[in-house]
Amino acid sequence: MAEKRTRSISGRLMMMNILVSGIALLLACAGFFTYDQITFRQSLVRTLSAQAQIIASNSVSAILFNDPQAATTTLSALKSFSNISSAGILRSDGKPLAQYSAAGQKPLVTLPQLPKGGGEAHWFGTKHLLLIRQIVSQGKSIGLVYLRADLHEINQRLKRYATITISVLLISLLAALLVSGAFRKSVAQPIVQLANTAQEVSREKDYSVRASTIADNEEVRVLVTSFNQMLQEIQQRDSELQQAHDKLEQRVSDRTRELVSANKELEAFSYSVSHDLRGPLDAINGFAYLMLKQYSANLDPQGRNLIEQIRSGGKRMTELIDDLLNLSRITSSVMHSAKVDLSTIARSIMEELCRTAPERKVQFTTSENEEAFGDPHLLQIVMENLLRNSWKYTSHHQEAHIEFGHTRAEGKTVFFVKDDGSGFDPRWADRLFHPFQRLHSSVEFPGNGIGLATVRRIIQRHGGEVWAQGEIEKGATFYFTLNLPDKNV
Amino acid sequence: MFLLFLSSLVASAQGPATESQVKAAYLYNFGKFVTWPAVRANSDSFGICVLGKNPFGNVLESTVAGESMGGKKIAVKKISNVQEAAASCSVLFISSSEERRLDAILAAAQHMNLLTVSDIHDFADRGGVIGLVSEGDRIRFEVNLNAAGRCHLTLSSELLKVAVRVIGTVPGS
Ligand SMILES: Nc1ncnc2c1ncn2[C@@H]1O[C@H](COP(=O)(O)OP(=O)(O)OP(=O)(O)O)[C@@H](O)[C@H]1O
Ligand SMILES: [Mg+2]
């Protein structure tokens, strides 16, 4: 069936040729045959009628004077007509006066009745034509003559026609084959070649091939030419695209190299800065401490206060430097990936937080067996930062809920930490992840603003994303995805 | 198609016809194959006359009743003298009762262009135009063409075809 539907154009053309010529021929033959049959039958009836007429007029005296011999003589003239199989002259009382039958034929026993008022009638049978005619004398019917002609000739003719039709059909079939062969060359062949070329192009992805334009058919030539033009265009665009792509690749790799070295330099720089800053800072802190210990008696309260200020500022600076160092360490440390149970981590962090402030009413829920694949130590840091934030930013509320779990979006697992604390202005949701960017004052909530920056670094190293949703006084939700290839699954 | 046996095609035959019935029919039918000279053709009826003792009874009348010949009504007449035939007869049947006067009758008939028919023995040989003869149980007839020629009658070849015997030849052939 499928084969039938996808038959080639040349095959279809051939089928069409054969079908059209075959149908035309059959119709023509049928028409001609019908016409011939009709005229042949008509002429047969005419001849038979003429013969009947002659016999009728020649047998009047034989009937009137009851002379079977004369009637028989009249009928015997029919011998020269081979197609007449039997004939007879009947008296008006229906008794046969004379009968004639050709060799091997029997005279008729029964006759159909003449229609009323009809002087003559004929009937076509499968093998015979029967004609009956009244014999009239002085306007009165005195008897009947019947003639029965063999239709052998008609059947012979039919056979001859069938033979001619079939042989002409075969010849025209052959002619159609030849013609469609020529057609195939001029129409189908170029199209077939075009199809082959198109197939080759799509298989090899080689746009440099061209279809042959030799076709003596205008439409096909236009088709082939425009196909070739199309190929040319595609080829050109393809090479342009390739060039652009190559250039882009080159540029990206250049940039990446630059960026990597710049990043390395920056990291090395910030590390060394933080590290080198610690020496002088330790000196400031140490001497301020010594001053307060040994010389506090010599100072008035105002002086003591100033030294306290120096000390707390120094302490704060130490913290900041430590955070910076931590951050750059996280960025550059080597990762060891493993399966990590985030639920367990979250639960242990929350237990510890609760121990530090047992008076707070915080309800914590976590879904079980939240498994992830990543560096266990770094993921611990992520969970700690997010949960600590939630713990911190719900502290102004009497009661609080903190939840850890996951949803799915676009086929990926998205983990989240959700609370109903102070929330934040959603306009600045992106800023939270920059170092030292805080949306709350340190009077309100203490902190350095380095936690979420750390979280983002870690998540990025895991090929994931992190983002925040929140509204002032309506809590905040932090989402993150992890995208390390999980070798265990 | 409605078929019926040949023998019952027309159910008019009421037993075999009698001899006089056949002869009566012949008398009438002969007229169909004979052409009379113009003088006779002018009369307004076609007369069949029986001369002498009538052997038909009224069979002849019933046979020709309602029939016509060439558009003319057929009239049957019984006459006792051949001269009576002059006016209105075309066919003259000479009864066997007139055998003794035959030659005279035939001579008279000749001038009147009568088609003479008789069942007198050897009628045709003796100068009559058509002589009826019995052949077994069939009635047939002999024709004397010379006699017909003398009476200026033309007999159709159709008629000659069914005659048992034709005496003489067609004039001019
Ligand atoms: N759960 C939260 N609810 C509301 N605001 C939050 C929440 N988590 C973080 N924030 C906002 O994001 C800012 C940055 O958070 P981040 O954790 O980086 O700093 P921090 O918590 O202030 O200090 P630390 O460095 O000690 O973590 C916070 O100052 C706070 O304004
Ligand atoms: Mg924090």
Side-chain angles (χ1 to χ4, degrees), chain A residues 378-408:
Chain A
L378 293 180
L379 290 182
Q380 167 92 31
I381 293 172
V382 167
M383 292 306 289
E384 218 158 281
N385 268 298
L386 293 178
L387 289 170
R388 271 180 195 285
N389 277 356
S390 288
W391 178 265
K392 180 161 65 182
Y393 294 101
T394 50
S395 60
H396 289 193
H397 289 199
Q398 281 279 324
E399 285 178 19
H401 293 91
I402 298 175
E403 186 187 345
F404 171 68
H406 84 266
T407 61
R408 291 191 72 82

Side-chain angles (χ1 to χ4, degrees), chain A residues 199-249:
Chain A
Q199 234 164 17
E200 195 186 314
V201 166
S202 76
R203 194 177 46 234
E204 311 279 333
K205 302 272 180 283
D206 178 3
Y207 299 107
S208 64
V209 290
R210 291 289 177 272
S212 141
T213 47
I214 312 158
D216 22 329
N217 186 303
E218 184 56 29
E219 288 90 338
V220 175
R221 205 175 12 241
V222 168
L223 186 65
V224 170
T225 314
S226 38
F227 178 74
N228 282 344
Q229 271 169 3
M230 207 169 70
L231 277 182
Q232 169 122 32
E233 229 158 88
I234 291 176
Q235 190 185 11
Q236 197 178 325
R237 287 211 196 148
D238 204 43
S239 73
E240 276 169 18
L241 211 68
Q242 189 60 43
Q243 275 172 12
H245 182 258
D246 288 350
K247 240 185 254 169
L248 205 68
E249 198 110 293

Side-chain angles (χ1 to χ4, degrees), chain A residues 264-305:
Chain A
K264 281 236 172 80
E265 271 169 37
L266 206 68
E267 269 165 25
F269 173 74
S270 70
Y271 183 81
S272 65
V273 164
S274 326
H275 194 264
D276 293 352
L277 279 176
R278 284 198 71 156
L281 192 59
D282 283 348
I284 292 171
N285 280 340
F287 290 124
Y289 175 74
L290 282 177
M291 188 136 180
L292 206 60
K293 273 267 150 132
Q294 296 174 10
Y295 299 95
S296 66
N298 303 344
L299 292 171
D300 57 7
Q302 171 113 38
R304 266 203 300 278
N305 191 31

Side-chain angles (χ1 to χ4, degrees), chain B residues 52-164:
Chain B
K53 191 172 168 263
N54 178 18
F56 298 109
N58 54 6
V59 168
L60 186 57
E61 280 88 341
S62 64
T63 302
V64 303
E67 303 284 353
S68 63
M69 182 68 68
K72 294 175 188 168
K73 269 185 64 193
I74 294 172
V76 176
K77 269 192 193 165
K78 293 173 185 117
I79 52 175
S80 48
N81 190 324
V82 70
Q83 297 308 324
E84 286 173 58
S88 53
C89 294
S90 296
V91 179
L92 179 69
F93 181 80
I94 303 164
S95 171
S96 50
S97 65
E98 305 300 305
E99 190 171 357
R100 284 174 292 114
R101 287 187 293 276
L102 189 59
D103 290 341
I105 291 171
L106 285 177
Q110 191 176 312
H111 298 294
M112 288 181 253
N113 309 120
L114 292 174
L115 174 67
T116 50
V117 184
S118 177
D119 48 6
I120 295 169
H121 190 67
D122 283 341
F123 179 67
D125 286 308
R126 291 166 69 177
V129 183
I130 296 176
L132 299 174
V133 294
S134 293
E135 197 182 86
D137 55 353
R138 279 182 62 197
I139 307 290
R140 305 202 63 183
F141 60 90
E142 300 173 334
V143 174
N144 186 335
L145 279 180
N146 297 332
R150 283 194 294 274
C151 298
H152 303 285
L153 299 175
T154 313
L155 269 54
S156 133
S157 61
E158 277 291 295
L159 188 66
L160 306 184
K161 196 171 71 181
V162 292
V164 211

